[in-house]
Amino acid sequence: MEESRLMKYVIDENGYIVRSYNPDDPNIPDNVVDAWEGSGFFKPRYDRERGQWVEGATQEEIDEILKGINPIDEPVSEVEQMKEQILDLQRVCNVLMANQS
Protein backbone atom coordinates (compact mmCIF):
# COMPACT_ATOMS: atom_id res chain seq x y z
CA MET A 1 0.00 0.00 0.00
CA GLU A 2 1.40 3.41 -1.03
CA GLU A 3 1.97 5.88 1.80
CA SER A 4 0.35 9.31 1.51
CA ARG A 5 2.74 12.18 0.66
CA LEU A 6 0.38 14.76 2.17
CA MET A 7 1.24 16.74 5.29
CA LYS A 8 0.01 15.10 8.47
CA TYR A 9 -1.82 17.02 11.21
CA VAL A 10 -2.64 16.52 14.85
CA ILE A 11 -6.05 18.10 15.48
CA ASP A 12 -7.79 19.26 18.65
CA GLU A 13 -11.20 18.13 19.91
CA ASN A 14 -12.90 20.63 17.57
CA GLY A 15 -11.02 19.42 14.49
CA TYR A 16 -8.61 22.37 14.21
CA ILE A 17 -4.91 21.86 13.51
CA VAL A 18 -2.60 22.03 16.53
CA ARG A 19 0.56 20.56 15.01
CA SER A 20 1.79 19.59 11.57
CA TYR A 21 4.26 16.94 10.43
CA ASN A 22 6.17 16.58 7.22
CA PRO A 23 5.36 13.17 5.69
CA ASP A 24 9.06 12.26 5.83
CA ASP A 25 9.27 12.84 9.60
CA PRO A 26 10.10 9.51 11.31
CA ASN A 27 8.40 10.60 14.57
CA ILE A 28 4.83 11.00 13.34
CA PRO A 29 2.35 9.80 15.99
CA ASP A 30 -0.47 7.39 15.13
CA ASN A 31 -3.32 9.84 15.77
CA VAL A 32 -2.69 12.17 12.82
CA VAL A 33 -4.96 13.15 9.95
CA ASP A 34 -3.80 13.57 6.34
CA ALA A 35 -3.99 17.04 4.83
CA TRP A 36 -6.89 17.94 2.58
CA GLU A 37 -6.58 17.50 -1.17
CA GLY A 38 -7.89 19.97 -3.70
CA SER A 39 -9.07 23.44 -2.78
CA GLY A 40 -7.71 25.13 0.26
CA PHE A 41 -9.70 26.33 3.20
CA PHE A 42 -9.49 29.63 5.03
CA LYS A 43 -9.76 27.87 8.38
CA PRO A 44 -9.50 24.09 7.84
CA ARG A 45 -11.38 21.90 10.30
CA TYR A 46 -11.52 18.12 10.28
CA ASP A 47 -15.05 16.73 10.69
CA ARG A 48 -14.55 13.38 12.41
CA GLU A 49 -18.13 12.24 11.78
CA ARG A 50 -17.82 12.78 8.03
CA GLY A 51 -14.15 11.81 7.92
CA GLN A 52 -13.21 14.82 5.82
CA TRP A 53 -11.92 18.36 5.96
CA VAL A 54 -14.48 21.17 5.94
CA GLU A 55 -14.40 24.96 6.04
CA GLY A 56 -14.22 26.08 9.66
CA ALA A 57 -14.53 29.81 8.99
CA THR A 58 -17.89 31.56 9.00
CA GLN A 59 -18.94 33.55 5.95
CA GLU A 60 -18.29 36.74 7.91
CA GLU A 61 -14.71 35.61 8.67
CA ILE A 62 -14.14 34.73 5.01
CA ASP A 63 -15.47 38.11 3.87
CA GLU A 64 -13.14 39.87 6.32
CA ILE A 65 -10.14 37.85 5.10
CA LEU A 66 -10.96 38.53 1.45
CA LYS A 67 -11.35 42.22 2.15
CA GLY A 68 -7.70 42.34 3.23
CA ILE A 69 -6.45 40.13 0.39
CA ASN A 70 -8.22 41.75 -2.50
CA PRO A 71 -9.26 45.28 -1.58
CA ILE A 72 -11.34 47.17 -4.09
CA ASP A 73 -9.51 50.42 -4.70
CA GLU A 74 -11.19 53.54 -5.92
CA PRO A 75 -9.66 54.80 -9.15
CA VAL A 76 -7.06 57.45 -8.48
CA SER A 77 -7.56 60.73 -10.29
CA GLU A 78 -4.82 62.26 -12.41
CA VAL A 79 -4.47 65.07 -9.88
CA GLU A 80 -3.97 62.58 -7.03
CA GLN A 81 -1.35 60.72 -9.08
CA MET A 82 0.50 63.98 -9.71
CA LYS A 83 0.40 64.86 -5.99
CA GLU A 84 1.99 61.50 -5.17
CA GLN A 85 4.68 62.03 -7.80
CA ILE A 86 5.48 65.50 -6.42
CA LEU A 87 5.76 64.09 -2.89
CA ASP A 88 8.10 61.37 -4.16
CA LEU A 89 10.28 64.00 -5.87
CA GLN A 90 10.33 66.11 -2.71
CA ARG A 91 11.50 63.11 -0.69
CA VAL A 92 14.30 62.40 -3.17
CA CYS A 93 15.38 66.07 -3.13
CA ASN A 94 15.41 66.07 0.67
CA VAL A 95 17.67 63.02 0.74
CA LEU A 96 20.02 64.49 -1.88
CA MET A 97 20.25 67.81 -0.03
CA ALA A 98 20.88 66.08 3.30
CA ASN A 99 23.75 64.09 1.76
CA GLN A 100 25.45 67.25 0.46
CA SER A 101 26.06 68.61 3.96
Side-chain angles (χ1 to χ4, degrees):
M1 185 170 160
E2 186 177 314
E3 184 178 337
S4 173
R5 300 299 302 156
L6 299 172
M7 289 294 291
K8 311 265 185 202
Y9 296 106
V10 174
I11 55 173
D12 66 14
E13 62 277 354
N14 297 314
Y16 293 104
I17 299 168
V18 293
R19 174 132 193 231
S20 62
Y21 288 92
N22 185 305
D24 299 325
D25 189 331
N27 302 315
I28 299 175
D30 292 333
N31 63 337
V32 296
V33 177
D34 284 341
W36 55 94
E37 293 186 52
S39 320
F41 294 105
F42 290 95
K43 190 175 177 182
R45 184 177 69 79
Y46 190 75
D47 185 329
R48 287 185 176 91
E49 290 179 14
R50 293 167 50 188
Q52 65 185 31
W53 289 94
V54 296
E55 180 58 69
T58 65
Q59 187 59 51
E60 291 80 24
E61 290 172 317
I62 293 170
D63 292 343
E64 194 63 31
I65 293 167
L66 290 176
K67 198 183 310 180
I69 292 173
N70 191 13
I72 300 172
D73 294 332
E74 293 291 323
V76 179
S77 71
E78 188 175 341
V79 172
E80 290 300 318
Q81 288 177 356
M82 292 173 83
K83 284 181 183 178
E84 286 298 318
Q85 291 172 349
I86 291 170
L87 286 173
D88 287 341
L89 287 171
Q90 284 177 331
R91 290 182 194 110
V92 169
C93 288
N94 290 340
V95 169
L96 290 173
M97 288 176 14
N99 288 334
Q100 286 183 357
S101 308

PDB file of all heavy atoms in Angstrom, residues 21-47:
ATOM      1  N   TYR A  21       3.081  17.792  10.648  1.00  0.00           N
ATOM      2  CA  TYR A  21       4.257  16.942  10.434  1.00  0.00           C
ATOM      3  C   TYR A  21       4.508  16.807   8.952  1.00  0.00           C
ATOM      4  O   TYR A  21       3.582  16.609   8.166  1.00  0.00           O
ATOM      5  CB  TYR A  21       4.033  15.538  11.011  1.00  0.00           C
ATOM      6  CG  TYR A  21       4.043  15.470  12.508  1.00  0.00           C
ATOM      7  CD1 TYR A  21       2.870  15.595  13.231  1.00  0.00           C
ATOM      8  CD2 TYR A  21       5.230  15.268  13.203  1.00  0.00           C
ATOM      9  CE1 TYR A  21       2.873  15.525  14.622  1.00  0.00           C
ATOM     10  CE2 TYR A  21       5.241  15.196  14.590  1.00  0.00           C
ATOM     11  CZ  TYR A  21       4.056  15.324  15.288  1.00  0.00           C
ATOM     12  OH  TYR A  21       4.065  15.260  16.650  1.00  0.00           O
ATOM     13  N   ASN A  22       5.763  16.864   8.574  1.00  0.00           N
ATOM     14  CA  ASN A  22       6.171  16.578   7.219  1.00  0.00           C
ATOM     15  C   ASN A  22       6.011  15.069   7.026  1.00  0.00           C
ATOM     16  O   ASN A  22       6.323  14.299   7.931  1.00  0.00           O
ATOM     17  CB  ASN A  22       7.631  16.997   7.034  1.00  0.00           C
ATOM     18  CG  ASN A  22       8.098  16.837   5.624  1.00  0.00           C
ATOM     19  OD1 ASN A  22       8.005  15.771   5.033  1.00  0.00           O
ATOM     20  ND2 ASN A  22       8.626  17.915   5.080  1.00  0.00           N
ATOM     21  N   PRO A  23       5.556  14.611   5.873  1.00  0.00           N
ATOM     22  CA  PRO A  23       5.356  13.171   5.687  1.00  0.00           C
ATOM     23  C   PRO A  23       6.627  12.341   5.815  1.00  0.00           C
ATOM     24  O   PRO A  23       6.566  11.136   6.057  1.00  0.00           O
ATOM     25  CB  PRO A  23       4.751  13.048   4.292  1.00  0.00           C
ATOM     26  CG  PRO A  23       4.986  14.348   3.632  1.00  0.00           C
ATOM     27  CD  PRO A  23       5.165  15.377   4.696  1.00  0.00           C
ATOM     28  N   ASP A  24       7.793  12.975   5.696  1.00  0.00           N
ATOM     29  CA  ASP A  24       9.058  12.262   5.829  1.00  0.00           C
ATOM     30  C   ASP A  24       9.554  12.175   7.278  1.00  0.00           C
ATOM     31  O   ASP A  24      10.553  11.521   7.540  1.00  0.00           O
ATOM     32  CB  ASP A  24      10.137  12.940   4.977  1.00  0.00           C
ATOM     33  CG  ASP A  24       9.787  12.939   3.500  1.00  0.00           C
ATOM     34  OD1 ASP A  24       9.175  11.951   3.043  1.00  0.00           O
ATOM     35  OD2 ASP A  24      10.105  13.921   2.808  1.00  0.00           O
ATOM     36  N   ASP A  25       8.867  12.831   8.185  1.00  0.00           N
ATOM     37  CA  ASP A  25       9.272  12.837   9.599  1.00  0.00           C
ATOM     38  C   ASP A  25       9.125  11.429  10.178  1.00  0.00           C
ATOM     39  O   ASP A  25       8.051  10.834  10.113  1.00  0.00           O
ATOM     40  CB  ASP A  25       8.405  13.818  10.376  1.00  0.00           C
ATOM     41  CG  ASP A  25       8.871  14.058  11.792  1.00  0.00           C
ATOM     42  OD1 ASP A  25       9.483  13.140  12.386  1.00  0.00           O
ATOM     43  OD2 ASP A  25       8.609  15.146  12.318  1.00  0.00           O
ATOM     44  N   PRO A  26      10.180  10.870  10.758  1.00  0.00           N
ATOM     45  CA  PRO A  26      10.095   9.511  11.307  1.00  0.00           C
ATOM     46  C   PRO A  26       9.348   9.444  12.641  1.00  0.00           C
ATOM     47  O   PRO A  26       9.006   8.358  13.093  1.00  0.00           O
ATOM     48  CB  PRO A  26      11.564   9.109  11.495  1.00  0.00           C
ATOM     49  CG  PRO A  26      12.282  10.405  11.671  1.00  0.00           C
ATOM     50  CD  PRO A  26      11.537  11.416  10.855  1.00  0.00           C
ATOM     51  N   ASN A  27       9.049  10.578  13.243  1.00  0.00           N
ATOM     52  CA  ASN A  27       8.404  10.596  14.565  1.00  0.00           C
ATOM     53  C   ASN A  27       6.930  10.984  14.530  1.00  0.00           C
ATOM     54  O   ASN A  27       6.415  11.574  15.469  1.00  0.00           O
ATOM     55  CB  ASN A  27       9.158  11.574  15.483  1.00  0.00           C
ATOM     56  CG  ASN A  27      10.615  11.198  15.633  1.00  0.00           C
ATOM     57  OD1 ASN A  27      10.934  10.040  15.843  1.00  0.00           O
ATOM     58  ND2 ASN A  27      11.491  12.165  15.499  1.00  0.00           N
ATOM     59  N   ILE A  28       6.244  10.658  13.461  1.00  0.00           N
ATOM     60  CA  ILE A  28       4.825  10.999  13.344  1.00  0.00           C
ATOM     61  C   ILE A  28       4.019  10.074  14.253  1.00  0.00           C
ATOM     62  O   ILE A  28       4.128   8.848  14.160  1.00  0.00           O
ATOM     63  CB  ILE A  28       4.331  10.856  11.885  1.00  0.00           C
ATOM     64  CG1 ILE A  28       5.104  11.812  10.976  1.00  0.00           C
ATOM     65  CG2 ILE A  28       2.838  11.107  11.802  1.00  0.00           C
ATOM     66  CD1 ILE A  28       4.774  11.671   9.515  1.00  0.00           C
ATOM     67  N   PRO A  29       3.178  10.657  15.127  1.00  0.00           N
ATOM     68  CA  PRO A  29       2.348   9.804  15.988  1.00  0.00           C
ATOM     69  C   PRO A  29       1.249   9.112  15.185  1.00  0.00           C
ATOM     70  O   PRO A  29       0.999   9.439  14.020  1.00  0.00           O
ATOM     71  CB  PRO A  29       1.757  10.782  17.005  1.00  0.00           C
ATOM     72  CG  PRO A  29       1.866  12.123  16.386  1.00  0.00           C
ATOM     73  CD  PRO A  29       2.997  12.068  15.410  1.00  0.00           C
ATOM     74  N   ASP A  30       0.572   8.167  15.825  1.00  0.00           N
ATOM     75  CA  ASP A  30      -0.471   7.394  15.135  1.00  0.00           C
ATOM     76  C   ASP A  30      -1.773   8.171  14.945  1.00  0.00           C
ATOM     77  O   ASP A  30      -2.549   7.868  14.062  1.00  0.00           O
ATOM     78  CB  ASP A  30      -0.770   6.101  15.910  1.00  0.00           C
ATOM     79  CG  ASP A  30       0.410   5.144  15.867  1.00  0.00           C
ATOM     80  OD1 ASP A  30       1.196   5.199  14.901  1.00  0.00           O
ATOM     81  OD2 ASP A  30       0.549   4.347  16.813  1.00  0.00           O
ATOM     82  N   ASN A  31      -2.020   9.166  15.783  1.00  0.00           N
ATOM     83  CA  ASN A  31      -3.324   9.841  15.769  1.00  0.00           C
ATOM     84  C   ASN A  31      -3.346  11.087  14.887  1.00  0.00           C
ATOM     85  O   ASN A  31      -3.931  12.096  15.234  1.00  0.00           O
ATOM     86  CB  ASN A  31      -3.723  10.215  17.187  1.00  0.00           C
ATOM     87  CG  ASN A  31      -2.756  11.208  17.813  1.00  0.00           C
ATOM     88  OD1 ASN A  31      -1.608  11.302  17.403  1.00  0.00           O
ATOM     89  ND2 ASN A  31      -3.212  11.933  18.801  1.00  0.00           N
ATOM     90  N   VAL A  32      -2.714  11.023  13.716  1.00  0.00           N
ATOM     91  CA  VAL A  32      -2.687  12.171  12.815  1.00  0.00           C
ATOM     92  C   VAL A  32      -3.714  12.004  11.704  1.00  0.00           C
ATOM     93  O   VAL A  32      -4.197  10.905  11.435  1.00  0.00           O
ATOM     94  CB  VAL A  32      -1.287  12.386  12.194  1.00  0.00           C
ATOM     95  CG1 VAL A  32      -0.277  12.733  13.250  1.00  0.00           C
ATOM     96  CG2 VAL A  32      -0.868  11.207  11.378  1.00  0.00           C
ATOM     97  N   VAL A  33      -4.017  13.128  11.065  1.00  0.00           N
ATOM     98  CA  VAL A  33      -4.957  13.147   9.949  1.00  0.00           C
ATOM     99  C   VAL A  33      -4.203  13.674   8.740  1.00  0.00           C
ATOM    100  O   VAL A  33      -3.417  14.614   8.851  1.00  0.00           O
ATOM    101  CB  VAL A  33      -6.150  14.070  10.274  1.00  0.00           C
ATOM    102  CG1 VAL A  33      -7.096  14.163   9.107  1.00  0.00           C
ATOM    103  CG2 VAL A  33      -6.875  13.593  11.517  1.00  0.00           C
ATOM    104  N   ASP A  34      -4.430  13.077   7.569  1.00  0.00           N
ATOM    105  CA  ASP A  34      -3.796  13.566   6.344  1.00  0.00           C
ATOM    106  C   ASP A  34      -4.365  14.928   5.981  1.00  0.00           C
ATOM    107  O   ASP A  34      -5.521  15.242   6.275  1.00  0.00           O
ATOM    108  CB  ASP A  34      -4.048  12.616   5.179  1.00  0.00           C
ATOM    109  CG  ASP A  34      -3.197  11.359   5.254  1.00  0.00           C
ATOM    110  OD1 ASP A  34      -2.184  11.367   5.969  1.00  0.00           O
ATOM    111  OD2 ASP A  34      -3.554  10.373   4.591  1.00  0.00           O
ATOM    112  N   ALA A  35      -3.548  15.733   5.297  1.00  0.00           N
ATOM    113  CA  ALA A  35      -3.995  17.039   4.832  1.00  0.00           C
ATOM    114  C   ALA A  35      -5.104  16.874   3.805  1.00  0.00           C
ATOM    115  O   ALA A  35      -5.288  15.793   3.240  1.00  0.00           O
ATOM    116  CB  ALA A  35      -2.824  17.801   4.227  1.00  0.00           C
ATOM    117  N   TRP A  36      -5.819  17.944   3.565  1.00  0.00           N
ATOM    118  CA  TRP A  36      -6.886  17.938   2.577  1.00  0.00           C
ATOM    119  C   TRP A  36      -6.285  17.989   1.188  1.00  0.00           C
ATOM    120  O   TRP A  36      -5.214  18.527   0.977  1.00  0.00           O
ATOM    121  CB  TRP A  36      -7.818  19.129   2.801  1.00  0.00           C
ATOM    122  CG  TRP A  36      -7.105  20.432   2.820  1.00  0.00           C
ATOM    123  CD1 TRP A  36      -6.908  21.294   1.771  1.00  0.00           C
ATOM    124  CD2 TRP A  36      -6.450  21.029   3.929  1.00  0.00           C
ATOM    125  NE1 TRP A  36      -6.180  22.375   2.157  1.00  0.00           N
ATOM    126  CE2 TRP A  36      -5.875  22.246   3.492  1.00  0.00           C
ATOM    127  CE3 TRP A  36      -6.278  20.675   5.262  1.00  0.00           C
ATOM    128  CZ2 TRP A  36      -5.162  23.087   4.322  1.00  0.00           C
ATOM    129  CZ3 TRP A  36      -5.558  21.516   6.082  1.00  0.00           C
ATOM    130  CH2 TRP A  36      -5.022  22.699   5.621  1.00  0.00           C
ATOM    131  N   GLU A  37      -6.994  17.435   0.240  1.00  0.00           N
ATOM    132  CA  GLU A  37      -6.582  17.499  -1.165  1.00  0.00           C
ATOM    133  C   GLU A  37      -7.510  18.471  -1.879  1.00  0.00           C
ATOM    134  O   GLU A  37      -8.636  18.670  -1.468  1.00  0.00           O
ATOM    135  CB  GLU A  37      -6.680  16.117  -1.813  1.00  0.00           C
ATOM    136  CG  GLU A  37      -5.681  15.132  -1.238  1.00  0.00           C
ATOM    137  CD  GLU A  37      -5.687  13.818  -1.992  1.00  0.00           C
ATOM    138  OE1 GLU A  37      -5.567  13.854  -3.223  1.00  0.00           O
ATOM    139  OE2 GLU A  37      -5.807  12.778  -1.347  1.00  0.00           O
ATOM    140  N   GLY A  38      -7.035  19.061  -2.938  1.00  0.00           N
ATOM    141  CA  GLY A  38      -7.886  19.967  -3.703  1.00  0.00           C
ATOM    142  C   GLY A  38      -7.848  21.376  -3.161  1.00  0.00           C
ATOM    143  O   GLY A  38      -6.822  21.854  -2.712  1.00  0.00           O
ATOM    144  N   SER A  39      -8.993  22.038  -3.188  1.00  0.00           N
ATOM    145  CA  SER A  39      -9.073  23.443  -2.784  1.00  0.00           C
ATOM    146  C   SER A  39      -8.683  23.637  -1.344  1.00  0.00           C
ATOM    147  O   SER A  39      -8.957  22.801  -0.502  1.00  0.00           O
ATOM    148  CB  SER A  39     -10.486  23.991  -2.941  1.00  0.00           C
ATOM    149  OG  SER A  39     -11.098  23.550  -4.084  1.00  0.00           O
ATOM    150  N   GLY A  40      -8.087  24.779  -1.099  1.00  0.00           N
ATOM    151  CA  GLY A  40      -7.706  25.127   0.263  1.00  0.00           C
ATOM    152  C   GLY A  40      -8.889  25.674   1.035  1.00  0.00           C
ATOM    153  O   GLY A  40      -9.940  25.987   0.478  1.00  0.00           O
ATOM    154  N   PHE A  41      -8.695  25.761   2.313  1.00  0.00           N
ATOM    155  CA  PHE A  41      -9.704  26.329   3.195  1.00  0.00           C
ATOM    156  C   PHE A  41      -9.113  27.546   3.883  1.00  0.00           C
ATOM    157  O   PHE A  41      -7.903  27.630   4.077  1.00  0.00           O
ATOM    158  CB  PHE A  41     -10.119  25.308   4.263  1.00  0.00           C
ATOM    159  CG  PHE A  41     -10.820  24.103   3.709  1.00  0.00           C
ATOM    160  CD1 PHE A  41     -10.162  22.886   3.627  1.00  0.00           C
ATOM    161  CD2 PHE A  41     -12.123  24.172   3.281  1.00  0.00           C
ATOM    162  CE1 PHE A  41     -10.792  21.769   3.121  1.00  0.00           C
ATOM    163  CE2 PHE A  41     -12.769  23.057   2.775  1.00  0.00           C
ATOM    164  CZ  PHE A  41     -12.106  21.850   2.690  1.00  0.00           C
ATOM    165  N   PHE A  42      -9.952  28.477   4.270  1.00  0.00           N
ATOM    166  CA  PHE A  42      -9.495  29.628   5.026  1.00  0.00           C
ATOM    167  C   PHE A  42      -9.147  29.219   6.453  1.00  0.00           C
ATOM    168  O   PHE A  42      -8.192  29.694   7.031  1.00  0.00           O
ATOM    169  CB  PHE A  42     -10.568  30.725   5.055  1.00  0.00           C
ATOM    170  CG  PHE A  42     -10.762  31.369   3.722  1.00  0.00           C
ATOM    171  CD1 PHE A  42     -11.743  30.933   2.857  1.00  0.00           C
ATOM    172  CD2 PHE A  42      -9.953  32.416   3.327  1.00  0.00           C
ATOM    173  CE1 PHE A  42     -11.918  31.525   1.624  1.00  0.00           C
ATOM    174  CE2 PHE A  42     -10.114  33.023   2.094  1.00  0.00           C
ATOM    175  CZ  PHE A  42     -11.099  32.572   1.241  1.00  0.00           C
ATOM    176  N   LYS A  43      -9.944  28.330   7.011  1.00  0.00           N
ATOM    177  CA  LYS A  43      -9.756  27.866   8.382  1.00  0.00           C
ATOM    178  C   LYS A  43     -10.119  26.372   8.405  1.00  0.00           C
ATOM    179  O   LYS A  43     -11.220  25.997   8.766  1.00  0.00           O
ATOM    180  CB  LYS A  43     -10.666  28.679   9.309  1.00  0.00           C
ATOM    181  CG  LYS A  43     -10.440  28.495  10.770  1.00  0.00           C
ATOM    182  CD  LYS A  43     -11.349  29.467  11.532  1.00  0.00           C
ATOM    183  CE  LYS A  43     -11.248  29.315  13.006  1.00  0.00           C
ATOM    184  NZ  LYS A  43     -12.180  30.237  13.698  1.00  0.00           N
ATOM    185  N   PRO A  44      -9.190  25.515   7.972  1.00  0.00           N
ATOM    186  CA  PRO A  44      -9.503  24.093   7.840  1.00  0.00           C
ATOM    187  C   PRO A  44      -9.882  23.457   9.177  1.00  0.00           C
ATOM    188  O   PRO A  44      -9.279  23.745  10.205  1.00  0.00           O
ATOM    189  CB  PRO A  44      -8.222  23.479   7.287  1.00  0.00           C
ATOM    190  CG  PRO A  44      -7.152  24.471   7.534  1.00  0.00           C
ATOM    191  CD  PRO A  44      -7.793  25.805   7.647  1.00  0.00           C
ATOM    192  N   ARG A  45     -10.914  22.625   9.118  1.00  0.00           N
ATOM    193  CA  ARG A  45     -11.377  21.897  10.301  1.00  0.00           C
ATOM    194  C   ARG A  45     -11.718  20.481   9.860  1.00  0.00           C
ATOM    195  O   ARG A  45     -12.382  20.272   8.846  1.00  0.00           O
ATOM    196  CB  ARG A  45     -12.613  22.567  10.904  1.00  0.00           C
ATOM    197  CG  ARG A  45     -13.091  21.907  12.198  1.00  0.00           C
ATOM    198  CD  ARG A  45     -14.275  22.643  12.801  1.00  0.00           C
ATOM    199  NE  ARG A  45     -15.480  22.515  12.010  1.00  0.00           N
ATOM    200  CZ  ARG A  45     -16.281  21.435  12.006  1.00  0.00           C
ATOM    201  NH1 ARG A  45     -16.007  20.383  12.741  1.00  0.00           N
ATOM    202  NH2 ARG A  45     -17.364  21.412  11.251  1.00  0.00           N
ATOM    203  N   TYR A  46     -11.249  19.508  10.628  1.00  0.00           N
ATOM    204  CA  TYR A  46     -11.523  18.118  10.282  1.00  0.00           C
ATOM    205  C   TYR A  46     -12.810  17.680  10.965  1.00  0.00           C
ATOM    206  O   TYR A  46     -12.948  17.749  12.186  1.00  0.00           O
ATOM    207  CB  TYR A  46     -10.363  17.208  10.712  1.00  0.00           C
ATOM    208  CG  TYR A  46     -10.489  15.817  10.159  1.00  0.00           C
ATOM    209  CD1 TYR A  46     -10.214  15.563   8.822  1.00  0.00           C
ATOM    210  CD2 TYR A  46     -10.913  14.767  10.958  1.00  0.00           C
ATOM    211  CE1 TYR A  46     -10.340  14.292   8.302  1.00  0.00           C
ATOM    212  CE2 TYR A  46     -11.035  13.494  10.444  1.00  0.00           C
ATOM    213  CZ  TYR A  46     -10.752  13.260   9.114  1.00  0.00           C
ATOM    214  OH  TYR A  46     -10.887  11.994   8.595  1.00  0.00           O
ATOM    215  N   ASP A  47     -13.774  17.232  10.173  1.00  0.00           N
ATOM    216  CA  ASP A  47     -15.051  16.732  10.686  1.00  0.00           C
ATOM    217  C   ASP A  47     -14.907  15.232  10.874  1.00  0.00           C
ATOM    218  O   ASP A  47     -14.904  14.464   9.907  1.00  0.00           O
ATOM    219  CB  ASP A  47     -16.164  17.057   9.687  1.00  0.00           C
ATOM    220  CG  ASP A  47     -17.539  16.674  10.187  1.00  0.00           C
ATOM    221  OD1 ASP A  47     -17.661  15.701  10.956  1.00  0.00           O
ATOM    222  OD2 ASP A  47     -18.510  17.365   9.801  1.00  0.00           O
TER     223      ASP A  47
END
